[in-house]
Amino acid sequence: MSLAGKTILMSGGSRGIGLAIALRAARDGANVALLAKTDTPHPKLEGTVQSAAEQIRAAGGQALPIVGDVRNDDDITEAVLTTQGEFGGIDIVVNNASVIDLSGSLDLAAKKYDLMQDVNVRGTFMLSRAAAPILKDAENPHILSLSPPLNLSPKWLGAHTGYTMAKYGMSMATLGMAAEFAKDGIAANTLWPATTIATAAVQFALGGDRMMKVSRTPEIYADAAYQVLLQPAASYTGQTLIVEDVLAASGVTDFSGYAATPGTPDNELYPDIFLD
């Protein structure tokens, strides 16, 4: 089982978890198209769509950097058609692009609410929908969204309502497409980690360097996503998956190598949100 020759279209992916997933696939010789806005370096964040493409090629894959915005329908259409034209089809869509703001409802700016809905929910829906007619022709087509299980506990519904709605919207769009496109053999699943992941989002939006030290590396997410994308699409679909559960099912029992700070015991890692 391998992703050699498979074509992935991913939203975002200039850095962090998305780039880690792309690099894991690239080591098999996959083709990776990245639809991302970051064409020039950010003053605080490493990585652009161009530097990500260079890393993908260095890892053994083919890369297609596409500068665009998942909020823009024309950019989505161009990304889908350009990816199909470059690689002859699309096997996998990864909905990675996401915006986070944990403000309470009274403090959340209206523009930030709209941004989270546009990128997280609408972007996931529109990119998946645009690629679906091409995915139907793939041998083992997958849609994978980096979003959580639908935990309706008041603890999470009320913690940061705007962000919760946006992330759950990603999951609902994905599960809906799993049902809608089951007849076409397209798998659609979500994937979420049990612990926080050491990314810029965690550092700047959740807890700074202290949180980074008690997180796991993006590679754990990438290895789990890899396992999901190898599964038979006809039967492995409509699930809200947890990273560690996916890896355990594949035979991984020791997660210590994924600690962002080597030697950190599992019981000292910080649990991610949305999971009880």
Side-chain angles (χ1 to χ4, degrees):
M1 299 292 290
S2 168
L3 294 181
K6 300 290 186 181
T7 296
I8 299 171
L9 173 58
M10 178 185 295
S11 62
S14 297
R15 61 181 70 87
I17 293 166
L19 179 57
I21 292 173
L23 293 176
R24 180 63 187 87
R27 295 208 300 269
D28 275 8
N31 310 313
V32 184
L34 301 177
L35 171 60
K37 291 198 310 175
T38 312
D39 187 36
T40 56
H42 188 280
K44 294 184 179 180
L45 304 175
E46 294 183 359
T48 67
V49 67
Q50 306 296 344
S51 66
E54 292 174 3
Q55 292 182 62
I56 289 167
R57 296 184 187 111
Q62 299 295 318
L64 177 63
I66 303 170
V67 179
D69 192 333
V70 76
R71 295 175 294 171
N72 186 301
D73 293 346
D74 290 339
D75 288 355
I76 287 176
T77 299
E78 182 179 356
V80 169
L81 295 179
T82 301
T83 302
Q84 182 188 35
E86 179 74 15
F87 299 121
I90 299 173
D91 299 280
I92 296 162
V93 170
V94 177
N95 293 300
N96 163 72
S98 185
V99 176
I100 182 172
D101 190 317
L102 301 183
S103 299
S105 297
L106 299 182
D107 297 320
L108 180 63
K111 287 185 177 180
K112 201 60 172 292
Y113 174 89
D114 291 342
L115 180 64
M116 289 194 290
Q117 287 289 325
D118 284 349
V119 173
N120 300 7
V121 187
R122 191 180 189 278
T124 292
F125 180 84
M126 291 298 181
L127 183 62
S128 301
R129 183 179 77 164
I134 301 171
L135 287 171
K136 290 178 182 180
D137 296 329
E139 181 181 357
N140 193 44
H142 279 267
I143 296 170
L144 181 64
S145 299
L146 309 190
S147 58
L150 300 174
N151 185 349
L152 299 184
S153 164
K155 172 183 177 181
W156 296 118
L157 289 176
H160 26 65
T161 303
Y163 180 63
T164 298
M165 290 171 65
K167 293 305 289 190
Y168 284 10
M170 289 180 70
S171 296
M172 291 181 70
T174 305
L175 294 175
M177 290 191 180
E180 184 176 359
F181 297 127
K183 64 183 182 299
D184 300 306
I186 300 174
N189 296 288
T190 72
L191 186 63
W192 194 251
T195 75
T196 52
I197 303 297
T199 64
V202 166
Q203 185 169 24
F204 292 112
L206 290 182
D209 292 339
R210 182 189 65 83
M211 186 75 79
M212 295 284 278
K213 292 178 181 178
V214 290
S215 299
R216 287 185 170 132
T217 65
E219 282 68 33
I220 191 171
Y221 218 139
D223 288 347
Y226 178 81
Q227 291 298 326
V228 172
L229 299 176
L230 291 178
Q231 300 302 315
S235 57
Y236 197 85
T237 186
Q239 301 185 66
T240 54
L241 302 162
I242 302 301
V243 164
E244 287 79 357
D245 293 344
V246 169
L247 291 176
S250 72
V252 178
T253 57
D254 182 4
F255 300 134
S256 61
Y258 294 114
T261 301
T264 305
D266 286 353
N267 61 3
E268 293 184 10
L269 296 173
Y270 199 85
D272 209 333
I273 57 179
F274 301 123
L275 303 179
D276 293 331

